[in-house]
Amino acid sequence: MGEEVKLFAVWGSPFSRRVEMALKLKGVEYEYIEVDLQNKSDLLLKYNPVHKKIPVLVHNGKPIAESVVILEYIDETWKGFPLLPKDPYQRAMARFWAKFIEEKCMPALFKCAGTEDREKAVEEACELLKLLENELEDKKFFGGENIGFVDIVADFIGGYWLRDIQEIVGVKILTRENLPKLCEWSDEFVNHVVIKENLPPRDKLIAYFRTRFGPKP
Amino acid sequence: MAEVTLLGFWPSPFVYRVIWALKLKGVEYEYVEEDVVYNKSDRLLEYNPVHKKVPVLVHAGKPIAESAVILEYIEETWPHNPLLPKDPHQRALARFWTKFGEDKSIALCTFFITEGEEQVKATKEAQENLRILEEHGLGNKKFFGGDEIGMADFEFGWLNLWLPVMEQIAGVKVMEAESFPRLHAWIQRFKELPTIKQNLPDHSAMLTYFKDRRAFFLASAKS
């Protein structure tokens, strides 16, 4: 089948990495296009006029924006390695937790890297992550024995982004004392055979975070 | 206990999305009113411990929260009279616009809980988002879902009654017919659909409720 799959992405973005992880897990070939966010191309603006952001997946010329929407599309289009479970109730639970991560955890975690009321922000983030950890229970991944939809949406938490930002900013959120099960899950996540090949280069990420969040000279 | 129960709150547009979906698909359900403002029930706190909000759909004893998640579940469990198209790209667009509605809900409603300069600014922001919705989301289609209503139409269904009520109480016109002709035409079509027409909250009760709410928000902002 003449498939043409392009992905507009940014090397360090957890949002576009979600899409790459899904494509790689399913063995889908795609063309990667790095976007300069300071200088967005006409093509990106054409494919995502509403938000002008990455990621954008373009499949046979048709664009789709918003990483979680793209994940659902990928799961419906390429059937190998399903990301969502089969059972409708389990699917609802996966979507619920993905929404929780996206709408509650992510903004709370970004607030921790800001300078306003950091202590309160950290407390709130820890409470939210505790709820997420409770959902994990004793599972290896949110998806069960293998990685699934929620694990991918939680990539910012499971991958190196959160641990490196919290160290550079000097806050304690995801620690073994606070969140032992979530830490264990994040170790499994970064060591997963496909995920580990699809995380941004760690030293480049740390250097970027130092510039963005580190103490100013 | 009924096979399908919906925990709701009568003025909530989020709850109405679920009601419209269940009615469209002819799913029998028991409706349970929750006093979410003053007295949340133990049952609600048990079924939605994370957010403690409505709507919550309970099917065969299993609870599901978050209206967008509930709609996807309803769609998968009762597939007739579909809310999503068959084509994967069209489905992605429906989900994109549903998400747009969720993400912009605060921006679209801030005019209601503000006054003076802040309200002017909030109204402009709401209008920018409505412009994007009209131009890119609806375009020249009959409904957001195309020829038939779908998930995205339910997402923006609040524009047909809740928005005019809020505009009246807050004393601002956010979505003028001349400025948003296509959205207005869509609203006329939407509210004539039997599923919608027969399932809307009482208009005067809404005016009373929203008048109280605006007073509450403005007072909280001052304290």
Side-chain angles (χ1 to χ4, degrees):
Chain A
M1 183 182 175
E3 297 262 35
E4 194 200 48
V5 184
K6 291 186 212 252
L7 176 65
F8 289 79
V10 164
W11 69 271
S13 161
F15 303 97
S16 56
R17 286 282 169 172
R18 286 172 182 166
V19 178
E20 292 196 80
M21 287 169 191
L23 292 169
K24 285 269 154 67
L25 286 164
K26 288 174 180 275
V28 178
E29 300 269 321
Y30 63 98
E31 182 194 341
Y32 178 93
I33 298 160
E34 179 73 24
V35 170
D36 177 359
L37 293 175
Q38 305 308 319
N39 188 18
K40 293 173 182 179
S41 69
D42 289 340
L43 207 53
L44 177 71
L45 301 178
K46 172 185 150 193
Y47 284 141
N48 190 3
V50 173
H51 299 299
K52 308 175 175 54
K53 285 181 175 178
I54 56 94
V56 179
L57 187 81
V58 186
H59 184 204
N60 294 332
K62 294 184 186 168
I64 300 146
E66 294 293 285
S67 62
V68 182
V69 175
I70 297 172
L71 291 182
E72 292 256 17
Y73 176 85
I74 288 172
D75 213 29
E76 286 182 359
T77 305
W78 292 281
K79 300 297 187 186
F81 201 100
L83 302 176
L84 281 169
K86 272 199 167 61
D87 171 69
Y89 187 73
Q90 294 307 320
R91 291 164 76 85
M93 291 304 99
R95 287 180 174 126
F96 176 89
W97 289 103
K99 206 167 198 282
F100 179 76
I101 291 162
E102 189 76 335
E103 292 176 8
K104 300 286 180 201
C105 299
M106 297 295 279
L109 290 168
F110 285 141
K111 263 199 198 136
C112 296
T115 44
E116 256 184 70
D117 222 344
R118 205 177 260 170
E119 212 179 290
K120 183 167 171 238
V122 169
E123 204 183 304
E124 204 185 296
C126 288
E127 274 167 28
L128 293 169
L129 290 186
K130 193 78 203 157
L131 290 172
L132 193 61
E133 186 181 63
N134 291 343
E135 174 56 18
L136 188 59
E137 290 178 323
D138 290 312
K139 300 197 296 277
K140 187 174 174 188
F141 293 107
F142 288 95
E145 265 311 295
N146 214 330
I147 286 216
F149 196 78
V150 178
D151 301 276
I152 293 174
V153 174
D155 70 336
F156 179 86
I157 301 163
Y160 296 117
W161 289 272
L162 179 56
R163 331 170 198 215
D164 290 342
I165 290 179
Q166 71 184 10
E167 196 177 314
I168 287 163
V169 167
V171 290
K172 286 180 159 45
I173 305 166
L174 183 66
T175 64
R176 286 193 202 277
E177 301 81 57
N178 277 357
L179 298 158
K181 286 210 171 109
L182 208 58
C183 280
E184 212 178 295
W185 161 77
S186 70
D187 290 337
E188 293 285 358
F189 185 78
V190 295
N191 285 309
H192 184 280
V193 59
V194 173
I195 302 304
K196 71 177 184 218
E197 302 301 319
N198 287 289
L199 291 170
R202 199 168 181 190
D203 43 2
K204 196 175 170 190
L205 203 63
I206 289 175
Y208 169 73
F209 289 150
R210 285 230 165 87
T211 320
R212 188 151 166 211
F213 301 117
K216 301 296 165 205
Chain B
M1 190 190 174
E3 171 80 346
V4 182
T5 304
L6 174 62
L7 303 188
F9 179 51
W10 71 269
S12 163
F14 302 92
V15 169
Y16 268 86
R17 276 171 214 161
V18 179
I19 290 175
W20 294 331
L22 292 169
K23 292 281 182 190
L24 184 74
K25 288 166 181 280
V27 178
E28 298 273 323
Y29 65 98
E30 183 197 347
Y31 177 85
V32 175
E33 185 71 29
E34 281 283 340
D35 179 2
V36 295
V37 180
Y38 298 112
N39 193 18
K40 293 178 182 180
S41 74
D42 290 338
R43 172 190 51 218
L44 175 63
L45 301 177
E46 184 202 325
Y47 281 146
N48 190 1
V50 173
H51 301 298
K52 308 175 175 53
K53 287 179 174 178
V54 291
V56 178
L57 189 79
V58 188
H59 183 207
K62 294 185 193 168
I64 301 152
E66 296 293 283
S67 63
V69 176
I70 296 171
L71 289 186
E72 293 263 12
Y73 177 83
I74 288 173
E75 177 67 359
E76 286 174 3
T77 306
W78 297 281
H80 55 282
N81 295 351
L83 296 176
L84 285 172
K86 277 200 164 55
D87 172 70
H89 187 252
Q90 292 302 317
R91 291 164 77 86
L93 287 177
R95 288 181 172 127
F96 175 91
W97 288 105
T98 300
K99 187 173 201 294
F100 182 86
E102 307 272 278
D103 293 345
K104 301 296 180 186
S105 60
I106 292 177
L108 289 168
C109 295
T110 300
F111 78 89
F112 182 69
I113 60 172
T114 48
E115 48 189 349
E117 265 310 299
E118 254 195 279
Q119 190 185 52
V120 172
K121 189 168 161 232
T123 303
K124 278 204 176 77
E125 200 186 330
Q127 288 167 335
E128 273 160 29
N129 284 302
L130 288 172
R131 211 149 275 133
I132 291 172
L133 183 66
E134 187 180 63
E135 175 70 33
H136 296 280
L138 182 63
N140 295 316
K141 301 196 300 280
K142 189 175 172 191
F143 294 108
F144 284 91
D147 289 330
E148 306 287 336
I149 52 167
M151 195 173 272
D153 295 273
F154 289 167
E155 177 65 35
F156 295 105
W158 67 278
L159 295 176
N160 101 89
L161 176 60
W162 284 258
L163 180 63
V165 165
M166 288 161 70
E167 285 173 324
Q168 186 176 332
I169 301 292
V172 292
K173 199 78 181 111
V174 179
M175 200 171 90
E176 311 245 21
E178 310 83 62
S179 308
F180 299 96
R182 287 179 284 183
L183 276 175
H184 267 268
W186 165 76
I187 283 176
Q188 300 318 310
R189 288 189 288 270
F190 183 79
K191 64 187 193 189
E192 282 307 308
L193 297 166
T195 305
I196 308 304
K197 208 165 172 179
Q198 290 156 19
N199 294 290
L200 285 173
D202 177 68
H203 187 249
S204 58
M206 287 269 279
L207 285 170
T208 309
Y209 173 77
F210 277 94
K211 187 162 175 235
D212 267 352
R213 287 276 91 198
R214 177 164 163 83
F216 170 81
F217 282 117
L218 293 180
S220 313
K222 288 186 173 108
S223 58

